[in-house]
């Protein structure tokens, strides 16, 4: 089993839609969690840090479920500019472990 | 203008040649990291350094070497021993504390092509 697993997608959604991605992790001792956004052929950029049960920033909400070992990212009112790959990142105490990413395409 | 710079953006080399990728940060971060990204895969850690003059191997260190002589700089050398060096190389930095892993901030990356 991979340490961090994400559905690769792509998720194709219309503008204005709400979309959610899940990410599962295998190490129950994981201590902190992050979502990064990566545009095509660019570097990842930090979107949100998730240190407790969840975090909200504008249209973006991240939730953590330690019992089931997953984190989710919810995007409300999707914009064309949200189109990107979203990386789930888990701090397992030894290093940051990156998922392969979920592709989101928002269409007009 | 704080941030992380990597150079060059694109690099082409012949097989058998060593090549050094530059990474500089002015964020006053203690920790710096090198990752490689291949299509369809997550980032994989090559080397990291949490303090000047000290560094540790990551998951895929074979065929790579680093140095950390200054807090601001963490160059990566891809040696001829690296069997499949063509990849997107990303440098990152973060606040540092021994064995504590904070969120990391990335440079723009270097695309290395070896033929």
């Amino acid at each position: 089993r991979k340490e961090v697993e994400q559905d690769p997608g792509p998720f194709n959604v219309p503008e204005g839609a709400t979309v959610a991605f899940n990410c599962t992790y295998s190490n129950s001792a994981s201590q902190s969690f992050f979502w990064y956004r990566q545009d095509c052929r660019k570097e990842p950029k930090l979107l949100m840090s998730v240190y407790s049960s969840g975090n909200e920033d504008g249209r973006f909400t991240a939730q953590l479920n330690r019992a089931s070992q997953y984190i989710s990212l919810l995007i409300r009112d999707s914009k064309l500019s949200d189109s990107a790959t979203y990386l789930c990142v888990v701090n397992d105490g030894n290093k940051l472990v990156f998922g392969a990413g979920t592709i989101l395409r928002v269409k007009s | 203008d704080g941030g992380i710079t990597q150079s060059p953006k694109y690099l082409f080399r012949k097989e058998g040649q060593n090549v050094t990728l530059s990474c500089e940060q002015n964020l006053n971060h203690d920790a710096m990291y090198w990752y490689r990204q291949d299509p369809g895969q997550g980032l994989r850690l090559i080397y990291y350094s949490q303090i000047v003059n000290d560094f540790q191997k990551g998951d895929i260190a074979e065929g790579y070497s680093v140095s950390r002589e200054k807090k601001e700089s963490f160059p990566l050398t891809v040696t001829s021993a690296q069997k499949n060096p063509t990849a997107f190389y990303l440098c990152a930095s973060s606040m540092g504390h021994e064995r504590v892993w904070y969120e990391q901030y990335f440079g723009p990356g270097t695309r290395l092509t070896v033929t």
Side-chain angles (χ1 to χ4, degrees):
Chain A
R1 183 183 172 185
K2 286 185 183 178
E3 292 183 76
V4 177
E5 291 202 72
Q6 297 184 251
D7 181 343
F11 285 61
N12 295 301
V13 303
E15 271 187 290
T18 295
V19 61
F21 314 131
N22 276 348
C23 165
T24 58
Y25 60 94
S26 60
N27 186 342
S28 60
S30 296
Q31 300 165 4
S32 53
F33 309 84
F34 310 95
W35 283 101
Y36 281 75
R37 169 202 169 118
Q38 186 173 24
D39 292 295
C40 189
R41 301 180 71 81
K42 299 282 191 182
E43 75 274 24
K45 294 190 176 175
L46 181 66
L47 183 64
M48 301 182 77
S49 303
V50 189
Y51 288 103
S52 55
S53 61
N55 195 11
E56 184 173 325
D57 183 3
R59 298 183 294 110
F60 298 85
T61 301
Q63 291 196 312
L64 169 63
N65 185 317
R66 287 191 186 273
S68 301
Q69 293 181 211
Y70 76 83
I71 62 173
S72 63
L73 178 67
L74 181 80
I75 305 175
R76 289 181 295 278
D77 189 22
S78 298
K79 312 288 184 195
L80 293 174
S81 57
D82 293 334
S83 297
T85 299
Y86 290 83
L87 308 180
C88 171
V89 183
V90 175
N91 171 2
D92 72 356
N94 291 313
K95 60 182 183 294
L96 293 191
V97 181
F98 287 76
T102 297
I103 297 170
L104 171 65
R105 295 181 185 144
V106 182
K107 302 195 182 290
S108 58
Chain B
D1 214 4
I4 304 172
T5 57
Q6 290 186 245
S7 61
K9 191 171 182 179
Y10 298 97
L11 191 53
F12 299 89
R13 279 294 182 269
K14 295 286 187 190
E15 215 173 283
Q17 292 180 329
N18 291 355
V19 59
T20 297
L21 311 185
S22 164
C23 178
E24 306 275 331
Q25 56 99 359
N26 61 4
L27 299 169
N28 200 31
H29 283 166
D30 288 313
M32 297 186 74
Y33 313 83
W34 275 105
Y35 294 89
R36 71 175 274 168
Q37 187 175 34
D38 296 281
Q41 295 191 37
L43 275 67
R44 291 183 291 167
L45 183 63
I46 304 172
Y47 268 98
Y48 66 98
S49 167
Q50 293 193 306
I51 196 168
V52 174
N53 291 322
D54 189 35
F55 49 82
Q56 284 77 41
K57 293 182 178 179
D59 298 318
I60 55 164
E62 186 176 345
Y64 300 98
S65 65
V66 293
S67 63
R68 187 87 187 277
E69 296 175 5
K70 297 187 301 181
K71 186 175 183 178
E72 302 79 18
S73 178
F74 192 40
L76 173 75
T77 296
V78 184
T79 75
S80 55
Q82 168 48 234
K83 292 187 177 9
N84 187 18
T86 294
F88 186 37
Y89 288 89
L90 288 157
C91 178
S93 71
S94 73
M95 292 192 297
H97 189 281
E98 190 176 339
R99 297 193 63 73
V100 177
W101 297 77
Y102 296 96
E103 53 267 27
Q104 296 173 10
Y105 298 89
F106 287 85
T110 293
R111 288 197 181 275
L112 174 64
T113 303
V114 177
T115 57

